[in-house]
Amino acid sequence: MADRLYGMGGVSSGKGRPGRKRYAMAIDLRRCTGCNACTAACKTHFDVPLGEWRIWVMETEVGKYPDTKRYVLPRLCNQCDDPPCIPVCPTQATFKHPDGFVLQRYNRCIGCRACMVACPYNARHLLPDHRRDKRNPRNVADKCDFCVVRVTRGLAPLCVTSCTGGALIFGDINDPESEVARTVRDNKVFTLRPELGTAPQVYYIGLNESIADPEFAFLNRSAQLRERYATFKRNSEVGGEMAGNIDESDMGFFGLVRQGLHNFGTFFAEAPKKFFRGLY
Amino acid sequence: MEGQVIANAFQNAYWGFPIALYFWLVGASAGSFVISTLGWVFGVKKYKPLALFASNTAIVALLIVPVLLIIDAGKPYRFFHLFIFAHWSAPMVWGSFLILTYPIAMGFYSFFVHKENQLWARRLGILAIVLALSTHWYTGVVMQLNPARLPNHTSVAPLLFLTGAYVSGIGLLILCLWLRNFLVTVTARVSPELMADMARLMLYGIVFDLFLLGNEFLQMTYGTGEERTILYEVLLGVFRWPYLYLEIVWGLLLPLIILVIPRTRRSLNGVLVAAFMTATGVYGMRIWWVMASQYYQGHF
């Protein structure tokens, strides 16, 4: 098990662009109740499809009964200063805004999903074809954008405004008087996976170093979560673009062949439809 | 720390079996083309008669690739964005240009081989072989340049891809030549001795592939906790069938045994079985290489 000390470096060394804002978020986990109001607000506002998330809350129970403690960890795009998703994007559809946002140009994205494979935080997803409002972007990559449209109009991101415990603090970290700058300055802050050098701009206060580790998440899934996950994987072909989804409980020889054929089947069955679901 | 994750978002694996097939096809094409150039570029005369067929096999294998990729994209009609909005730091852009130019160079090479123009066949052959190796090198790099994805993030990745390409390409070519022998006149047939000679070249690739996999195994065994966890999953866990059984045992060890025993390596049946095993076994490598890292991080 990894025993890293998360956020040893504190605030990342990058300072953003001179004379520009540098938006960042601090999440005070001591105040987070795990109510998922942020998730609901974000999902509703952006019409985030079923099974995809711009922000979500990971919940972990640590210890053995009766000495247990429950940790919650809201997760969203870290708006990294050195984001791995940008250099691998073949069409420059994703880019770093001078004010710190990592943004997505829907009209350039070809849906190759290289950015999703590159993101260490699983913060990106593909918008499916079957969206509630067909005018919304489809079949392209999407992610949390710190509610750039709201922020540029002087409003806080939706997750921040909806947070019932006041755990989410947002602002310009370059302004020493801003709440987020003071919070980050006055507290011991941690970032997710700092060893990757992505310089995340979402800072956590009171982060449990074990639960913020992919290895912990992989090895310590509850039985119910595994079952729900397998069900989700079995039912999640979205235009064949997620043909890597496998049911881990069925990976013997016949299971592998069956899943391979099934995934290929959906991939090719969906192929003709792709050419008729919107010319461009 | 003892504990369990009780609620989390479910993450998708965005690249899967079709992308693994794409990597396999590019590899098989490159490997097949290497054999094609032995006669006209490197001067091994006995390989000259099969150069045209090998080159055409490579072209056919590669022509399927853009179809797979375009179908796989969320917005197929936007494929030209790869060229007009090319982002040069993205390996996918390098690959797009390589996949575009490589079959053209092979086509010209095939033309000059058909015309028996040694000078231009050699020139085009050199160009096409550089493009062939680059095309498959880039598929390894696409996976390698994801620092968060273990075990993909290793500089061995392109070499592993190239070696896999070499052996699977030769394996595929041997099978295609064997099938071709039923359709052509006796004089145009490729002799079993030449196929056995190709199998010998494949054997060198198998040994080198095992060496690279051994290195990768060592690195992960002595690596971080994450690397050891992934190693367990690919070796004995969820991906044991593609990795251990399909790639190592079926694709490398059994063909190695067939090709080192003098009696079986000289028999046509032995060569064909080894070729089939190697060609299919490499697909196992493509599966676990593409999917294991995404599966592992699907829970975070």
Side-chain angles (χ1 to χ4, degrees):
Chain A
M1 193 62 58
D3 51 359
R4 300 181 194 99
L5 288 171
Y6 275 82
M8 276 290 281
V11 181
S12 63
S13 53
K15 296 289 179 203
R17 297 263 186 100
R20 300 296 302 231
K21 292 181 186 302
R22 184 176 175 227
Y23 288 110
M25 186 181 284
I27 301 180
D28 190 345
L29 295 174
R30 298 167 301 186
R31 302 179 77 167
C32 177
T33 58
C35 68
N36 272 293
C38 51
T39 316
C42 181
K43 273 261 190 191
T44 314
H45 183 78
F46 291 104
D47 184 21
V48 182
L50 197 66
E52 311 291 0
W53 318 82
R54 283 180 163 217
I55 182 170
W56 71 96
V57 180
M58 185 178 171
E59 282 185 47
T60 311
E61 215 163 62
V62 172
K64 217 170 188 178
Y65 180 81
D67 300 317
T68 57
K69 186 169 168 57
R70 184 172 285 208
Y71 289 96
V72 286
L73 181 63
R75 300 265 310 275
L76 66 163
C77 172
N78 284 260
Q79 316 288 338
C80 309
D81 267 358
D82 191 3
C85 53
I86 290 181
V88 299
C89 175
T91 57
Q92 304 181 53
T94 184
F95 65 101
K96 182 85 177 166
H97 188 277
D99 288 347
F101 309 98
V102 176
L103 301 176
Q104 183 74 15
R105 280 188 271 234
Y106 300 121
N107 54 348
R108 274 203 186 184
C109 180
I110 60 168
C112 70
R113 311 182 297 289
C115 53
M116 296 163 203
V117 178
C119 177
Y121 306 105
N122 285 324
R124 289 174 160 268
H125 57 266
L126 191 78
L127 294 170
D129 193 49
H130 50 78
R131 298 203 65 187
R132 209 168 42 190
D133 186 342
K134 292 286 184 191
R135 290 168 301 180
N136 284 342
R138 292 177 286 158
N139 311 305
V140 290
D142 197 16
K143 64 184 283 297
C144 162
D145 54 9
F146 265 177
C147 286
V148 60
V149 174
R150 287 174 61 87
V151 171
T152 48
R153 283 155 180 75
L155 299 166
L158 267 168
C159 52
V160 176
T161 52
S162 65
C163 182
T164 54
L168 273 57
I169 302 148
F170 179 82
D172 174 16
I173 206 168
N174 273 354
D175 174 5
E177 295 309 311
S178 69
E179 191 185 355
V180 69
R182 277 188 282 115
T183 308
V184 169
R185 195 169 56 230
D186 298 343
N187 290 277
K188 177 71 179 163
V189 290
F190 302 83
T191 54
L192 292 179
R193 308 190 78 179
E195 75 279 6
L196 292 171
T198 53
Q201 293 306 306
V202 174
Y203 300 94
Y204 292 91
I205 300 167
L207 182 68
N208 180 305
E209 66 268 22
S210 286
I211 67 161
D213 185 12
E215 193 187 358
F216 180 92
F218 179 74
L219 294 173
N220 298 285
R221 287 159 286 151
S222 67
Q224 294 93 327
L225 197 63
R226 276 174 192 250
E227 183 48 43
R228 278 177 20 220
Y229 192 71
T231 312
F232 167 74
K233 290 276 178 182
R234 281 194 292 268
N235 298 319
S236 65
E237 278 89 26
V238 184
E241 280 102 348
M242 288 149 198
N245 279 350
I246 48 163
D247 174 5
E248 60 185 322
S249 59
D250 188 24
M251 279 294 279
F253 175 71
F254 292 109
L256 179 71
V257 173
R258 191 164 44 243
Q259 295 199 55
L261 290 176
H262 175 67
N263 287 1
F264 267 121
T266 53
F267 177 75
F268 286 113
E270 291 290 321
K273 295 178 198 166
K274 284 189 177 185
F275 293 93
F276 296 102
R277 69 188 183 191
L279 273 177
Y280 182 67
Chain B
M1 180 179 280
E2 196 173 345
Q4 58 179 351
V5 181
I6 51 176
N8 199 1
F10 298 133
Q11 314 295 353
N12 285 298
Y14 290 98
W15 288 352
F17 289 95
I19 294 292
L21 178 64
Y22 147 62
F23 286 161
W24 184 86
L25 280 168
V26 173
S29 168
S32 187
F33 192 72
V34 167
I35 296 296
S36 171
T37 54
L38 285 180
W40 290 87
V41 176
F42 298 103
V44 187
K45 287 201 171 55
K46 62 183 170 187
Y47 281 99
K48 273 195 169 181
L50 55 85
L52 188 62
F53 182 75
S55 177
N56 289 342
T57 307
I59 292 172
V60 170
L62 202 74
L63 285 179
I64 307 169
V65 164
V67 180
L68 267 181
L69 287 181
I70 288 171
I71 290 175
D72 192 62
K75 291 279 190 187
Y77 287 115
R78 290 187 185 174
F79 72 92
F80 64 90
H81 284 201
L82 288 163
F83 303 104
I84 61 169
F85 298 125
H87 190 200
W88 289 102
S89 65
M92 213 172 267
V93 168
W94 315 339
S96 302
F97 281 92
L98 287 167
I99 289 175
L100 191 73
T101 49
Y102 168 41
I104 296 171
M106 278 197 299
F108 279 111
Y109 167 79
S110 285
F111 173 75
F112 287 116
V113 168
H114 177 66
K115 294 285 177 195
E116 300 196 349
N117 184 332
Q118 171 66 51
L119 180 68
W120 278 99
R122 187 163 187 274
R123 284 176 181 172
L124 267 300
I126 290 169
L127 175 68
I129 196 140
V130 170
L131 290 172
L133 296 178
S134 305
T135 306
H136 202 58
W137 161 82
Y138 119 81
T139 57
V141 169
V142 161
M143 299 305 297
Q144 179 200 343
L145 298 185
N146 294 314
R149 300 283 172 180
L150 295 168
N152 307 142
H153 186 54
T154 164
S155 53
V156 176
L159 270 181
L160 265 173
F161 268 65
L162 281 169
T163 318
Y166 175 73
V167 294
S168 64
I170 298 178
L172 181 72
L173 187 60
I174 290 174
L175 293 172
C176 290
L177 285 169
W178 174 67
L179 289 173
R180 177 178 171 266
N181 278 355
F182 292 107
L183 305 171
V184 294
T185 57
V186 179
T187 49
R189 283 181 190 165
V190 173
S191 67
E193 289 75 27
L194 191 58
M195 288 189 199
D197 199 63
M198 286 166 64
R200 184 174 55 81
L201 296 177
M202 191 169 73
L203 174 67
Y204 301 149
I206 289 172
V207 172
F208 189 60
D209 207 359
L210 282 167
F211 167 72
L212 289 175
L213 281 170
N215 273 327
E216 180 72 2
F217 174 80
L218 270 180
Q219 177 179 321
M220 292 173 81
T221 314
Y222 284 72
T224 61
E226 282 190 54
E227 283 180 311
R228 288 196 297 274
T229 306
I230 292 179
L231 179 65
Y232 177 82
E233 284 306 319
V234 294
L235 190 61
L236 300 168
V238 169
F239 287 91
R240 68 188 181 285
W241 268 98
Y243 180 70
L244 182 62
Y245 299 130
L246 188 54
E247 185 191 6
I248 306 276
V249 178
W250 173 265
L252 296 174
L253 287 180
L254 291 176
L256 179 77
I257 292 167
I258 291 170
L259 295 176
V260 292
I261 297 172
R263 195 176 152 192
T264 48
R265 78 164 173 238
R266 285 193 210 107
S267 81
L268 180 63
N269 287 341
V271 167
L272 288 175
V273 169
F276 177 72
M277 283 173 148
T278 308
T280 47
V282 169
Y283 187 60
M285 183 266 176
R286 306 304 192 230
I287 290 176
W288 73 265
W289 197 261
V290 172
M291 290 161 69
S293 58
Q294 296 180 77
Y295 162 74
Y296 168 72
Q297 271 191 39
H299 309 279
F300 179 58

